Amino acid sequence: MVARTMFTKGISLRLQLYLLISCLSIFSFGAALYNNVANMRTYLNEQLASHAQGAAHSLGLSISPYMDEEGLVIAETMTNAIFDSGYYQHITFTDLDGKLIFERTNPQGNFGVPKWFIDWFTLHPPVMTSEVSDGWRIAGQLEVQSHAGTSYKSLWDHALSSLVTTLLQLFIALICAYLILKAVLNPLRSIEKQAESVIQKRFSINSINPFTSELRTVVNAINRMVENVQRSFNEQTQLAEALSKEVYIDPHTGLPNRRALLKRFESIQAEYDQHGNRFYLGLVSMTSLKHVNDNEGYGSGDDYILSGAQLFSKQISALQDATFYRISGSEFAFLSLLTEEAAKEIDEQIAANIMIESSSRFNNGFAKHSLTRVNHQEDFAEVVKRLDHQLVHNQYAENNKGLVTAQMMKKNHSRVEWVGILTQFTEYFKNEISHCNSKDFAIKCIPLDKIFDLMLQPVVDNNQSILYVESFVRFKVEGEVLSTLDVFAMAERLGVLQELEQAVVCFIFYKLQHIEHTRVAINISNRALHNPVFTEWLFDLYQKMHKTLPPLLYEFNESAAMLSLESTERFIRQAKQFDIDIAIERFGSSLTSFCYIRNLNIDYIKIDASYVRDIAEADTRFFVQTITQICHGIGIKIIAPQVESAMIGEHFSLMNIDGLQGNGLYAVRNFSTIIPANATNTWTSALELNNFSHSLNHEAT
């Protein structure tokens, strides 16, 4: 497993060099040790030969006077005296006819040397001869062979001494090589970290100055590249932010202006099926502006407007998915996704703040407000007309409450009903799924089909290939389809949000086991993104189930990412460890600095849908093109969502947008209509575009 991972991801240059130097050093010093011992063996063989030859000559001369029959006893005695010294393997004396006269042989014995060493470095003492004369007559031939025992011991001692010396030299050489390589490669590690940071969309300058000229050139080249990317990013970001402020920001208060409100209103209205009756619009009128201007001057009037902007924007910013706008000289508006209970609370809070700020200075009161739910497909002008009417009515009737009742709203559930609904959504997960093992996971999740539906919609590139498929979950109870945001809002209010999110993820994972190869996006809620308990559970579950899942992508809102960039980066790092892609949606909706994306290792950005519907405007096209250049410069792909017509798609096809999504291209489909009716639990297939309809009339989401 380790070897496969090593060859898949590659071996570092540092390790390769260390291995190369180590192998070469070990080979070189091993060969030197072997040659040293082999040379010593040759020397000892020559010594044994010289020793045997000298002994043969001297013994031959010593016994030559005793070659008669009586003297052979003396000759043999003299031979015994020499042989008993132990330095000879055998001594043999034969006559001219080859007849053995006498012989002495030494057994091999134990030399005190390992047998393997003797087998590797065998000594071959030669048999040396000398003719023995009897006067003028040759009496016979004497053969002498030296004994190798002492030589083996000398050779073994020499080998041990050489081994110690060689190992010491090898150790010193390796230490020196390590120190040299470390000095050379440390800058390379810094270069590698810088390159990894660039891949992860983090552009930092490398301050090292390597001694090695080639590395210094590489460092300078990468630093220049990073500086160019940073300069380009900063220039384009400043341009985009300046354009955004000029077009969408009120210069006096710093709040989004009327145009930003219209774009956001249209964006939420287009997603009404998801938001349902949580879509609220409110107006706040600074009713005493003319009186302050006339009596105290325009400077005081400006201060009066600023105080109202600060008071109400602080209050509205505490709401989830709420934005405060200045839409005219004396009027503000706020847009939010609220439950009915939350709408009543904010209405009362605004009224209370107005009462606190009111004084005799403000002839017509500090301010007046009105708040209403927005009907499905209701025009912005119609909603504002209803709010204006209520403002006038409140001013003359001295009514502090501003909540306007709208007609034709969806059915509202009581708190008791919501408790029952959410219990149905979460209890089964807590009791059956949360503790089951991976083998039983699919079987345990089957009952979730009764309360959840998985919806899919593709994101396609310019070549009509699927980049990924986005998934949505639809909640249903006894045939009634519930607003997704209503369900999550009530789950948060009742304290079961984490269990609901876990049940939804389990359902999606259970369904995605039927899909292979195609990357599928899963939406991560604002709170889940920054909940360490949930994220740890999410990645643990993925680690257990990843073999049965297709490639994944996690999507979350820009507003969620900016709540805590630290926890967002931590979530992204964990996802990248499992090769999970990351996308930020509704990019640009917050009208804040775009610099934060430079330090996030994300793969896709979905621009806010309001820019998509307004793409026919020249300044919007320029803004989107600028954002596209910024993101392409740091390796992020751009996606345009909610493309509802061919004309909008044509605009984006000319702007180098990487992906398109919307009912004008491919409608949302229920996953149950894609799976074959006879599909088994082991059935899997890659999603293709022919699985989705081109019809603009999409299924309920």
Side-chain angles (χ1 to χ4, degrees):
M1 182 65 181
V2 175
R4 183 174 64 183
T5 303
M6 181 181 294
F7 285 109
T8 301
K9 295 185 177 181
I11 304 176
S12 67
L13 178 61
R14 180 187 299 268
L15 180 58
Q16 292 184 56
L17 288 176
Y18 283 152
L19 288 175
L20 177 62
I21 297 294
S22 299
C23 291
L24 288 177
S25 299
I26 292 172
F27 175 79
S28 299
F29 285 98
L33 175 63
Y34 181 85
N35 288 334
N36 193 341
V37 176
N39 290 336
M40 184 64 177
R41 179 184 62 178
T42 302
Y43 169 75
L44 290 175
N45 278 329
E46 292 175 353
Q47 269 198 332
L48 290 173
S50 176
H51 177 259
Q53 187 64 63
H57 284 306
S58 61
L59 181 60
L61 290 174
S62 298
I63 66 173
S64 60
Y66 307 102
M67 287 297 98
D68 56 354
E69 186 174 348
E70 293 180 357
L72 285 176
V73 176
I74 298 174
E76 187 173 352
T77 301
M78 295 175 67
T79 301
N80 289 340
I82 295 176
F83 183 78
D84 289 342
S85 65
Y87 291 108
Y88 303 97
Q89 181 66 38
H90 72 263
I91 299 177
T92 305
F93 180 64
T94 58
D95 60 14
L96 290 178
D97 298 327
K99 180 181 177 181
L100 181 64
I101 305 302
F102 57 83
E103 180 183 23
R104 295 291 181 271
T105 302
N106 231 340
Q108 290 291 340
N110 184 4
F111 305 143
V113 178
K115 186 176 184 305
W116 60 266
F117 183 79
I118 295 175
D119 293 337
W120 276 17
F121 299 98
T122 305
L123 294 175
H124 301 284
V127 177
M128 308 306 292
T129 61
S130 176
E131 291 181 343
V132 179
S133 60
D134 182 14
W136 296 102
R137 178 178 66 87
I138 301 299
Q141 183 172 305
L142 184 67
E143 294 181 356
V144 178
Q145 183 182 28
S146 296
H147 197 286
T150 304
S151 298
Y152 272 124
K153 189 66 172 66
S154 299
L155 184 61
W156 171 247
D157 292 340
H158 177 77
L160 290 178
S161 175
S162 298
L163 176 63
V164 171
T165 304
T166 302
L167 287 177
L168 181 61
Q169 293 174 345
L170 175 62
F171 179 75
I172 295 173
L174 289 177
I175 291 295
C176 294
Y178 170 77
L179 295 176
I180 294 172
L181 287 177
K182 183 178 180 181
V184 173
L185 295 177
N186 274 350
L188 190 61
R189 178 56 182 162
S190 180
I191 296 171
E192 181 186 5
K193 288 182 178 179
Q194 186 184 27
E196 290 175 350
S197 297
V198 171
I199 293 174
Q200 296 172 4
K201 318 296 187 304
R202 295 197 302 269
F203 299 91
S204 56
I205 300 299
N206 198 338
S207 59
I208 65 168
N209 189 25
F211 177 76
T212 307
S213 59
E214 291 83 358
L215 293 181
R216 184 179 300 179
T217 302
V218 173
V219 169
N220 292 335
I222 295 180
N223 281 342
R224 290 195 187 98
M225 180 196 72
V226 169
E227 288 173 350
N228 291 336
V229 172
Q230 284 182 328
R231 182 169 58 251
S232 175
F233 179 87
N234 292 335
E235 291 173 354
Q236 292 179 346
T237 300
Q238 291 171 3
L239 176 63
E241 291 174 359
L243 179 62
S244 176
K245 289 179 180 179
E246 182 179 348
V247 177
Y248 299 111
I249 300 296
D250 173 60
H252 181 56
T253 61
L255 296 173
N257 59 17
R258 183 183 183 88
R259 184 171 182 181
L261 171 64
L262 287 170
K263 290 170 71 64
R264 184 61 178 152
F265 182 93
E266 293 171 359
S267 175
I268 299 180
Q269 186 71 284
E271 300 174 346
Y272 192 89
D273 286 336
Q274 295 181 39
H275 302 313
N277 60 355
R278 301 185 63 216
F279 183 14
Y280 279 79
L281 178 66
L283 286 182
V284 177
S285 176
M286 307 298 290
T287 49
S288 296
L289 178 62
K290 185 177 183 306
H291 176 77
V292 173
N293 282 338
D294 292 343
N295 290 275
E296 302 179 20
Y298 287 100
S300 296
D302 289 342
D303 293 339
Y304 169 52
I305 291 296
L306 281 175
S307 65
Q310 293 171 358
L311 173 66
F312 296 116
S313 63
K314 182 178 180 181
Q315 186 174 359
I316 297 302
S317 64
L319 299 174
Q320 188 174 357
D321 292 327
T323 309
F324 198 57
Y325 303 84
R326 187 187 185 192
I327 58 175
S328 67
S330 63
E331 288 188 330
F332 297 92
F334 63 91
L335 202 60
S336 183
L337 302 174
L338 300 170
T339 61
E340 186 175 8
E341 292 181 11
K344 292 178 181 178
E345 290 178 8
I346 194 64
D347 177 46
E348 293 173 356
Q349 291 172 8
I350 293 176
N353 283 335
I354 291 175
M355 287 291 293
I356 293 171
E357 297 294 329
S358 295
S359 66
S360 58
R361 177 191 176 197
F362 306 112
N363 188 44
N364 296 318
F366 181 76
K368 292 292 181 182
H369 79 287
S370 58
L371 174 66
T372 187
R373 275 195 315 223
V374 180
N375 288 311
H376 192 210
Q377 297 181 342
E378 189 173 13
D379 186 75
F380 179 78
E382 295 175 0
V383 183
V384 173
K385 183 178 179 181
R386 185 164 72 247
L387 291 171
D388 281 336
H389 176 78
Q390 184 65 26
L391 278 176
V392 174
H393 174 77
N394 289 348
Q395 185 169 355
Y396 283 96
E398 297 185 355
N399 181 16
N400 293 328
K401 299 296 178 64
L403 186 59
V404 183
T405 303
Q407 303 299 319
M408 301 173 62
M409 293 301 173
K410 292 184 178 180
K411 172 187 174 182
N412 289 316
H413 292 278
S414 68
R415 186 182 184 91
V416 175
E417 289 175 327
W418 273 116
V419 170
I421 291 170
L422 292 170
T423 298
Q424 186 176 350
F425 288 164
T426 59
E427 283 299 311
Y428 181 76
F429 163 77
K430 290 191 290 186
N431 295 334
E432 299 292 337
I433 302 177
S434 60
H435 304 296
C436 73
N437 56 46
S438 56
K439 293 181 180 179
D440 299 331
F441 180 80
I443 297 175
K444 291 288 187 180
C445 288
I446 291 176
L448 296 178
D449 280 317
K450 297 178 181 179
I451 54 176
F452 301 148
D453 276 335
L454 183 64
M455 317 300 291
L456 301 176
Q457 187 177 40
V459 177
V460 299
D461 59 18
N462 292 327
N463 298 321
Q464 290 296 293
S465 298
I466 292 180
L467 285 177
Y468 64 88
V469 175
E470 185 172 1
S471 64
F472 315 87
V473 171
R474 182 174 66 179
F475 300 91
K476 54 188 180 181
V477 174
E478 297 178 355
E480 178 189 357
V481 177
L482 303 176
S483 165
T484 301
L485 293 181
D486 271 344
V487 173
F488 278 100
M490 291 307 300
E492 182 177 0
R493 184 176 289 266
L494 297 175
V496 293
L497 180 59
Q498 179 172 309
E499 290 81 0
L500 177 64
E501 290 172 331
Q502 289 174 322
V504 168
V505 169
C506 287
F507 174 71
I508 295 174
F509 279 13
Y510 152 63
K511 285 294 189 181
L512 293 187
Q513 293 183 84
H514 292 288
I515 299 176
E516 59 182 2
H517 307 310
T518 309
R519 191 173 292 276
V520 179
I522 298 175
N523 288 283
I524 305 297
S525 71
N526 294 13
R527 294 197 178 275
L529 180 66
H530 305 291
N531 183 349
V533 176
F534 174 83
T535 54
E536 183 179 355
W537 171 87
L538 175 66
F539 290 112
D540 284 344
L541 179 63
Y542 177 79
Q543 193 169 11
K544 295 175 183 176
M545 305 298 300
H546 74 278
K547 292 182 179 179
T548 62
L549 294 174
L552 292 186
L553 180 148
Y554 289 148
E555 280 191 7
F556 46 83
N557 290 343
E558 179 185 56
S559 58
M562 297 185 67
L563 286 175
S564 171
L565 290 177
E566 181 181 353
S567 57
T568 300
E569 289 179 9
R570 184 165 55 248
F571 181 90
I572 292 174
R573 283 196 301 270
Q574 288 180 281
K576 290 299 180 181
Q577 290 176 359
F578 298 103
D579 295 325
I580 297 174
D581 285 354
I582 298 294
I584 291 182
E585 56 182 351
R586 295 183 180 173
F587 181 77
S589 61
S590 61
L591 301 177
T592 56
S593 173
F594 306 134
C595 290
Y596 75 92
I597 64 171
R598 181 175 59 186
N599 295 320
L600 295 181
N601 186 15
I602 57 179
D603 303 282
Y604 298 94
I605 275 179
K606 278 187 179 179
I607 59 175
D608 188 66
S610 59
Y611 299 109
V612 177
R613 279 180 292 277
D614 204 24
I615 197 64
E617 300 291 334
D619 53 0
T620 301
R621 286 200 303 274
F622 180 73
F623 178 78
V624 172
Q625 284 179 327
T626 302
I627 295 299
T628 302
Q629 292 173 358
I630 291 173
C631 293
H632 284 175
I634 57 177
I636 300 174
K637 294 182 179 179
I638 298 292
I639 295 170
Q642 297 186 26
V643 177
E644 304 297 330
S645 68
M647 183 177 297
I648 293 176
E650 289 175 2
H651 279 297
F652 282 109
S653 65
L654 302 174
M655 298 173 62
N656 295 321
I657 295 293
D658 300 288
L660 301 174
Q661 180 186 17
N663 296 315
L665 302 170
Y666 296 94
V668 178
R669 282 200 64 182
N670 194 315
F671 186 74
S672 61
T673 64
I674 298 175
I675 301 177
N678 59 349
T680 63
N681 289 336
T682 58
W683 178 87
T684 57
S685 176
L687 292 173
E688 299 177 356
L689 285 180
N690 57 18
N691 292 322
F692 300 89
S693 167
H694 285 272
S695 172
L696 292 177
N697 298 319
H698 58 88
E699 303 180 50
T701 57

